[in-house]
Every structure is written in C-alpha cells, then in structure tokens.
Amino acid sequence: MSNSHPKDRPIPGNRPPAPESAALPPSSWAKKTGFKPKFSGETNASDSGQISLPPRPKEQRDAQPDLEAGRVKATPLPVPPPAAVNGVDTVVAVPAENKDQTVVKRRRDSDGGSWGAKKDGSGHGANGAGTNGPPAGPRRAVARNEEVIDVEDDGFAGGRHTHMKYELRDTPGLVPIGLYGFQHYLSMLGSLILIPLVIVPAMGGTYEDTSSVVSTVLFVSGVTTLLHTSFGSRLPLIQGPSFVYLAPALAIINSPEFQGLNGNNFKHIMKELQGAIIIASAFQTILGYSGLMSVLLRLINPVVVAPTIAAVGLSFYSYGFPRVGTCLEIGAVQILLVIMFSLYLRKISVFGHRVFLIYAVPLGLAITWAAAFLLTEAGVYSYKDCDANIPASNIISDHCRKHVSRIKHCRVDTSHALKSSPWFRFPYPLQWGTPVFEWKMALVMCAVSIISSVDSVGSYHASSLLAASRPPTRGVVSRGIGLEGLCSVLAGLWGTGTGSTTITENVHTIAVTKMGSRRAVELGACALILLSLIGKVGGFIASIPEVMVAALLCFMWAMLAALGLSNLRYSEAGSSRNIIIVGLSLFLSLSVPSYLQQYGISPNTNSSVPSYLQPYIVATHGPFHSKYGGLNYFLNTVLSLNMVIAFLVAVILDNTVPGSQQERGVYVWSETEAARREPAITKDYELPFRVGRIFRWVKWVGL
C-alpha cells in the first residue's frame, strides 16, 4: 500500500485538497476490461443523472475499499511477467521499499509459454500478441510482509486468472476432471430434469412416459454438450432444455385443438411439439451459419439481455407457489432449506469446496424427500378407507374428498415410475412417431428461438470472461448459435419436448465452482449419456413428488430472473436511461401478457384447464380475431409470452434512445484479425481436427 506519511506525499499543484473519502471501485467487469464508470469519482457529472466526486491525486486513491471482498485492497505495484522454471509457474516479488508489498499471482497459459500482454480497455492485448516473459531469477517463497491478492467471493470479482481453479484448456488429470465434471452437472441438476416433470403431465402422459422423456433429455443433453464444446463456441457450457422453451411448449400443449382429444394425448401432442421445434431449429441454424447473427449482435447488449432473461423467470409466478400450496408443509420446508444452503451456509467449505452453495438444490431435495418418506411411512397422510390410487372424480366419501389433495400431493408412494421403468433403455429418434408440422406452432417456436439466441449471447460473453483468455469473436458467436440450432434439431427428432440451448445457470455454476475446464464438461457429458441408458435413473427422477418439483422451480425461476438482471453489471446500472428502459421492459412484460390472458374471459367462466395453466390458453380467447385463424393463433400466443414483450421493448428502446457505449455497456467481442494473431484466442476457439479449414472461406463464421 502507498505510504500515508504526510511528508512523503507529493503536493498536487495548485489544486485544493480533496476530501478524504475513498472513491468507489469499479465493478468486477471493469477490472477485467478497463471500463471506467462515470460514478467512480473519475469524471464529472454526466447527462445520465449520476453525481460523481471531483478527481483527486493518484496517491490519495491508492488505498481503495474493495466493496466486493469487504476489505481494503492494496494497489498492485508494477511487476514483470512471471516466468516458468522447468515448466512450473513462479512468483516474482517486488523489491521492498515499504512495509507492505503486493505480489500478483498469474497463471501461465496452459498450452504454451506465451504470456498475454497487458490489456487495454477493449479487452484486447494493448501490445498485440502475447510475448514471452524474461527469465526470472531463482525462485523464492513469498515474504511474510508481502500480500497476495486473491478472490474469496463467488467468482465475479477480481481478475480472470486469480480465482479460477481450472481454465478453459486446463487438463489437470482424469480424477480431478471427473470429480469437477460430476460436481458441475450435479449443481445444475434442477435445470436438466425439471422441465420434463412439468410438460409431460400437462400433455396427459403417465409416469412411464415421464421416465422415458427424462432419459431422452439426459441423452440429448450429453450429446449436444459434446457437440457444442467441440464444434460450437467451445466454451464450457452445458446444453440442455431451457426454461425459454417452457412457456411456448405449455401454450402449444393447451391449444384448442388438443382439448377434446381421446386416447393417448401425450404422443399426439409430442409429435406436434417435435414438428414445431424442428422447423424453429432450422431457422436458428440459418440465423447462425448465414452470418445474420453477427449483424443482430449489434442490437443485443446487456440492457436488452437483462430484462429479457429476467422475464423468463418471472413469467411462471402463477405456476410456482400455487403448486407448492397443495402440500405446504413439504414444499415450504424445501424452499427454506434451499435458501438456507445457498445463502446462510454458502461460505462454509468442506475440503475446499462450498458444498452447501454448490449442492443447494440436490441437498434440499434429498432432505425434504427423506422427511416426506418418513411422514408417509408413519401414516401421517393415511386416512381410513381412502385410497390414493382412486381418481378424485370417483371418490364418494366426503371424508376422503376432504383429504384427497393431501393424499395425492404429500405422499411419496403414489408414483410407480421407478418400479415400472426398465433397467436398460436406449433413446432413439422418432420414438414417439413421425413429427407433425403445423406452421402456426412453428412460427411461435421461431420467435422463441430468437429469445434463446439472446440468452446464449449473454452466457457466451459472461463465461468467456471467467474461463477463456479473451471474449470470442462475432464469428464464433454465430457459429455457436448455428450449432445450437442443429442441436435443437436433434432434440426435436429424439422428442424431448423442448429445444436444446445453453442453460442460463452455466455462468453461475462456473463462478461458484471455479471450474472452467472444457474437458471436465465433456467428461461429465459422457457420464450423462451413460446414465441415460439406465432406465431406472429416469424412473427415479420421474418419481419426484410434484410439490417438490414446484418448490425447486420456485428457486430456479428466481435464480433465472436474478441471473438475467446480473447482466446489468456490464453497463452503468445507475444511469437513468438504463433504469427506465429496464423498468419499462419488465413491467410491460408482465402487464401486456396479463391483458391478453384476461381478454374475453368472464369471471364465472368454468374451464377444464387448471388455474395454474390458465395463462397458456390465450389462443382460444385473445384479442386478435381476423379471418385468418393461424395468424390469430400466432399473434395471441406470441404476444402473451412475457419474454417476447420484454425483448421487443428493450431492443427498441436501447437502440433508439441516445447513450454512450460505456453507459449502455456494449458487449466487447474480439476482433477477427487480432484473434488470428494471438495464439491464446486461436487455441481457445479454433475447431479441432482441422475442421476450421472448412470455415476459413466463410469469414462471418469462426475466427
């Protein structure tokens, strides 16, 4: 830290002394990219409505409070790049002149001996490509009076190389990679398995159908993750069913033409979903590989991504707690357990791992499930002469009708999915039959595929700041979106019920586990494929009680909304311009769909659709009534989706209301020419097996 003795401080010219209060530090993104916010005390007041302090001498800004780490952070002194002795990274110390010294830890590039040059404000090397560091002297231990800067938070603060255990190209060994890959997938268990547990019962499927769809989802997720880490963006991002596709899937399931079906409704509706997903996926593939996505990237920025993704999580408020309320003593306890693990116990580490934060969802599910099993076996939910297997419409006794809800939702032995599922089952394409193509449903899914691409763009940028050497180029982003379209085609052929895309929770998982290795994700994907072949695994997941599924979804949707809003950290979140845009986008995303959902419904209308699915039957009574039935269906359905309204409002306002790039937090992508000159970027994003040569003539895709 700087010397605070008054005699050693330089006199700053004729400028009067500034107040002693410390300047607010830049955000974690600013530390990585050189961003200088207008509210950090370095500039005067701007037209964005923010008040800033006058500038002060550099010496008075040396000691800055680190608001994210909760302590005063020493300003690092200039140090030469660390060198490697016999292939091992060394720590280079600064000659001591003051009592306190700072040693900066840096990780050597895992695939070579080049060190990245100092970055400029755009995230690129200020001096071009990385250069080899000069040979250092003998290696020595860090002195006692030297301070080592490290990051102890959840991973969003500090430099990229100071807090990640494994970065993109690190391969520490089979055992560590296997353990971290298993941990990575287990922490995202809720995102992988919960969507089939919602849509299959809504389609009228049995527990056996749910088990089969869960196994299919695990298989397709493993295959598409391997494809994406190899031929897509190459970032350590798990692919799988996304909540972005859940609302349109429920809207299609509750279409008027499916209300009067007799027989096996599940297979008929699933084939309609498959057809819509395949067409929408082909549209997304063209969007990516044609280069149109590179053009759209100019319109997609944090102020657009934040409300769009937040609206996805907020849109399911009518489904979440109303389903938890069917057995409040089980569902509410599970929500409280997950909150306790993820918040109050998040700092507790076991063998260096924050087990409660990483495994909050599976731990909460396991404890609640065990407690519900004990209550069921103890006879708490057993009532005389009442059978849980008898449909509610056939129950005659008033005593049993009074407790039918608790019998159905609180007991854990009502599902026979585990017993009826086979030990081995191989998911295969077209297992539900030949897909049925309806253009009106396909158009709805095409609109949703754009929202899915917006979600993936935010995940690409955030994860690259954590795990990679630089953000990807626009061509790499387009390549990733194009491959996500191809992966969704596979999801449509296999029949998962939703498209396949980058799961939003990836960024949070990488930041918490500090594991950004591509190999760990690939090894976990292989394990996921093997698990999908064991039918009992799908049966076990399908037997999770509905109230516990709803409780987990309450937490997952809240996390999704928060992760969406966290994208605002890349922009000036305090700007009045951004506040108004985000506020309008979120409010209208809730209010406009509510208008369409309530249009034409009288208070005394009796509907066979459950109340928690009422928002998804808008196609039968929406305000659009032209002579073209398909157009009415498309407009009523699309405009009733919260995320679509949020995206339209945000993208129009953000790209028409004046604002600087700094204020808007415009995403900074690596330039193609600079990326080809820097070996680190090439090794991060180039395609394997020399496949990249095929795309060299396609300048808008890849490096």
Side-chain angles (χ1 to χ4, degrees), residues 61-282:
R61 298 195 302 265
D62 282 345
Q64 295 183 1
D66 190 346
L67 298 185
E68 294 176 334
R71 60 179 181 270
V72 176
K73 185 184 74 172
T75 302
L77 299 178
V79 295
V85 178
N86 296 328
V88 181
D89 293 346
T90 62
V91 180
V92 180
V94 181
E97 294 181 358
N98 301 323
K99 182 177 180 180
D100 297 328
Q101 296 293 328
T102 300
V103 175
V104 180
K105 297 193 307 182
R106 297 186 61 186
R107 183 190 300 264
R108 186 184 176 191
D109 190 288
S110 60
D111 281 6
S114 61
W115 286 89
K118 181 180 178 181
K119 298 175 190 176
D120 59 8
S122 65
H124 308 302
N127 300 325
T131 58
N132 294 331
R139 183 178 182 181
R140 68 175 185 84
V142 180
R144 182 175 299 178
N145 61 348
E146 295 171 348
E147 178 186 358
V148 176
I149 296 177
D150 203 353
V151 177
E152 299 295 339
D153 62 345
D154 291 344
F156 286 113
R160 176 185 294 110
H161 296 295
T162 59
H163 67 276
M164 295 297 293
K165 293 179 180 178
Y166 300 110
E167 295 173 20
L168 187 61
R169 287 174 278 122
D170 288 347
T171 54
L174 184 60
V175 174
I177 283 181
L179 292 177
Y180 276 99
F182 176 76
Q183 169 183 278
H184 200 76
Y185 278 84
L186 190 60
S187 63
M188 299 182 63
L189 182 65
S191 303
L192 289 172
I193 66 172
L194 292 181
I195 291 181
L197 303 184
V198 174
I199 63 173
V200 175
M203 287 189 282
T206 62
Y207 291 113
E208 291 76 12
D209 295 329
T210 304
S211 174
S212 300
V213 174
V214 168
S215 297
T216 304
V217 166
L218 296 180
F219 178 82
V220 173
S221 177
V223 172
T224 54
T225 299
L226 289 175
L227 290 174
H228 190 80
T229 55
S230 300
F231 305 105
S233 70
R234 307 220 65 199
L235 291 166
L237 300 174
I238 297 175
Q239 307 295 298
S242 173
F243 290 116
V244 173
Y245 287 97
L246 180 56
L250 290 174
I252 292 176
I253 291 170
N254 290 280
S255 297
E257 51 263 48
F258 300 147
Q259 298 300 320
L261 289 178
N262 295 321
N264 195 339
N265 296 355
F266 166 73
K267 286 189 176 181
H268 184 83
I269 299 176
M270 177 62 83
K271 289 186 290 186
E272 297 274 0
L273 276 177
Q274 287 181 263
I277 291 170
I278 291 173
I279 294 178
S281 304

